Amino acid sequence: MQKLTCKKRDAWWTVLLVDPVATRVLIRIARFGFITPNGVTWAALFVGLGSAGFFLRGDTQSLIIGAALYHVSFILDCIDGKLARLKGNGTVFGGWLDYVFDRIRVLFCALALMGGQYLRSESAWYLIAALVVVFLDMLRYVDALQIYKMRMSMRTKIEKLKEARREAEDAEEPGVVFMEDLLRENPGVEADLLKQQAENVVDLHAQFRDRFPWYTRLRQALLRSRMRPHLISGIEFQMFIFIVGPLIGQILWATAVSAVLLGLFELVIMYKFWLSTRDFTRVVEELAPEPLVAVGSVASHLHAGRHRRGGDEPAYDPVTVAGVPVEQRFPAPEPYEDPGFQPYPEPRHDVGFRYDEQDGHASPGAGYAADPVFHPPGPHAEVRWAEAEGWRR
């Protein structure tokens, strides 16, 4: 059951304290057809809100019950994904529901846990701790999603460049392979050996492994037990605050320690991503050695904003890159195709508002007309404004 439903890499808390229980529960409930992954997700939310109710009471017995319920809620939260993978009935909406309910559970439990302790002790540190928990939980998952999005964007860019080079050279090369995918599929094999065995390999983590060679050995040792190297992730952060802290009676200390550890690991993740972007730049330069735009060369229509005035300025001389004018490399956008569309009036550079001589902002003869000139909208816009005036009345 673990081979069928568990992830290849997961948080150490999940591997050690959740999966052994979740897989055994899954064996019992998988036979019932009326139990769906979304139903388990709703059950996890309600149990989590129940733990928040006990956290709000604030006494020792309630904190212990609340910690136990929170762990049960997290087990159910893991079961819904396993059930979806086992039966193959997972949906996109179910993944979204699971993510949103996790954030709701953390929010309510954080407010209830810290609020209950504040009502008992009247210490403002618990209010600060609640803000820290909510902020770091949001930061962790927003940052993870954004880094994932940027990684997919880099991979797509490299694949497109590889495809363009293959078409230009009319060569039959194998598709691009990323080293992180090879390491994920072969966790016990060295990166250098995988690069020798596979063709057309792109490594976006080469600098990080070169600077920290011990990381590869640590990663391989953890992956033998399905543990990911990110030892303090959002999961461990939640468990230390909502389970360990209430059980040992040191909520503030557990929150402070877990917050510091999560912040340090997030800095490491950001540093690793920064090195990955440098590897990405190197790979792109190797695939497209010719720069896209020379230094100081910008198409005229790209810099002619409303703050630019015409007339007295010299004509723009486009710089050519590899014999191709910049105007051709970056052509002006095509007109809007909607026949009923009326754009805003074009800015007039030779006319404008008359400034007072005592104003200090402009002097006579500075390129402004004596009287303001307005450009009325087209007939289509007048009809729209008439309709809007009728709606307003």
Side-chain angles (χ1 to χ4, degrees):
M1 185 63 69
Q2 287 184 354
K3 292 181 179 179
L4 290 174
T5 61
C6 293
K7 300 178 181 178
K8 293 182 179 180
R9 298 186 306 169
D10 213 334
W12 63 266
W13 185 282
T14 304
V15 173
L16 298 178
L17 302 176
V18 176
D19 283 348
V21 179
T23 50
R24 286 167 173 79
V25 174
L26 182 62
I27 294 174
R28 302 293 186 274
I29 68 174
R31 67 189 68 181
F32 301 103
F34 65 91
I35 300 180
T36 62
N38 288 350
V40 179
T41 304
W42 279 98
L45 174 65
F46 290 140
V47 175
L49 295 179
S51 67
F54 282 96
F55 284 151
L56 188 59
R57 295 184 178 182
D59 59 278
T60 303
Q61 182 179 1
S62 298
L63 291 178
I64 295 175
I65 297 175
L69 287 178
Y70 193 89
H71 194 251
V72 172
S73 173
F74 186 71
I75 292 176
L76 293 175
D77 185 40
C78 294
I79 289 177
D80 59 1
K82 291 176 170 52
L83 183 61
R85 286 188 289 270
L86 179 64
K87 293 188 174 183
N89 57 352
T91 61
V92 176
F93 178 77
W96 172 85
L97 196 71
D98 181 48
Y99 177 81
V100 172
F101 282 3
D102 286 347
R103 308 282 70 76
I104 293 176
R105 180 181 58 195
V106 171
L107 174 63
F108 276 86
C109 287
L111 296 178
L113 178 62
M114 304 305 173
Q117 296 303 305
Y118 171 76
L119 294 177
R120 293 177 66 88
S121 63
E122 296 185 356
S123 174
W125 286 106
Y126 288 102
L127 300 181
I128 298 176
L131 295 177
V132 169
V133 171
V134 175
F135 170 76
L136 288 179
D137 180 77
M138 175 196 67
L139 175 66
R140 167 69 195 117
Y141 285 93
V142 169
D143 184 50
L145 289 175
Q146 188 64 21
I147 288 180
Y148 175 78
K149 175 183 176 181
M150 299 308 298
R151 288 190 186 280
M152 293 299 103
S153 176
M154 291 190 298
R155 290 168 64 116
T156 303
K157 177 67 175 179
I158 292 175
E159 291 173 350
K160 289 183 178 179
L161 289 176
K162 284 278 189 179
E163 183 66 24
R165 167 171 286 193
R166 184 164 53 248
E167 292 179 356
E169 298 177 356
D170 196 15
E172 296 183 358
E173 296 182 1
V176 59
V177 179
F178 293 93
M179 178 60 68
E180 52 187 326
D181 296 337
L182 294 177
L183 291 174
R184 188 179 297 109
E185 297 173 358
N186 307 276
V189 185
E190 294 287 343
D192 296 335
L193 182 59
L194 291 174
K195 188 176 296 185
Q196 295 175 3
Q197 294 178 352
E199 297 182 5
N200 213 7
V201 178
V202 175
D203 191 359
L204 295 180
H205 299 284
Q207 291 193 42
F208 185 80
R209 280 194 293 271
D210 292 341
R211 297 192 181 190
F212 306 97
W214 52 267
Y215 171 78
T216 302
R217 297 189 295 269
L218 174 63
R219 180 180 181 276
Q220 292 177 352
L222 291 174
L223 287 181
R224 294 189 188 100
S225 301
R226 296 195 303 111
M227 299 180 190
R228 59 190 180 192
H230 196 180
L231 298 178
I232 305 296
S233 63
I235 294 176
E236 288 82 9
F237 176 69
Q238 297 176 31
M239 301 304 117
F240 272 93
I241 294 175
F242 300 122
I243 296 179
V244 177
L247 289 180
I248 65 176
Q250 298 292 334
I251 296 176
L252 286 180
W253 276 107
T255 302
V257 172
S258 58
V260 171
L261 292 177
L262 180 65
L264 292 176
F265 268 87
E266 284 303 303
L267 291 178
V268 173
I269 292 297
M270 295 176 186
Y271 177 70
K272 183 180 178 183
F273 177 67
W274 175 67
L275 293 179
S276 180
T277 58
R278 297 183 62 179
D279 288 326
F280 167 74
T281 304
R282 171 184 54 82
V283 173
V284 170
E285 290 177 352
E286 293 175 356
L287 295 176
E290 179 183 297
L292 295 178
V293 182
V295 177
S297 61
V298 182
S300 59
H301 68 272
L302 295 180
H303 68 81
R306 292 196 174 190
H307 63 286
R308 300 280 183 174
R309 297 193 202 132
D312 298 334
E313 293 186 358
Y316 181 78
D317 184 18
V319 181
T320 61
V321 180
V324 181
V326 178
E327 298 290 349
Q328 296 182 13
R329 281 182 171 267
F330 300 94
E334 296 294 332
Y336 201 78
E337 298 178 356
D338 187 358
F341 174 75
Q342 291 290 336
Y344 287 107
E346 291 289 337
R348 293 284 299 276
H349 305 292
D350 56 337
V351 296
F353 293 99
R354 179 176 57 191
Y355 281 76
D356 189 358
E357 295 182 5
Q358 305 298 327
D359 191 331
H361 292 87
S363 58
Y368 293 88
D371 296 315
V373 178
F374 298 98
H375 303 277
H380 180 72
E382 291 179 358
V383 174
R384 296 289 296 274
W385 278 108
E387 294 178 355
E389 182 66 18
W391 294 335
R392 188 185 69 80
R393 293 177 179 175

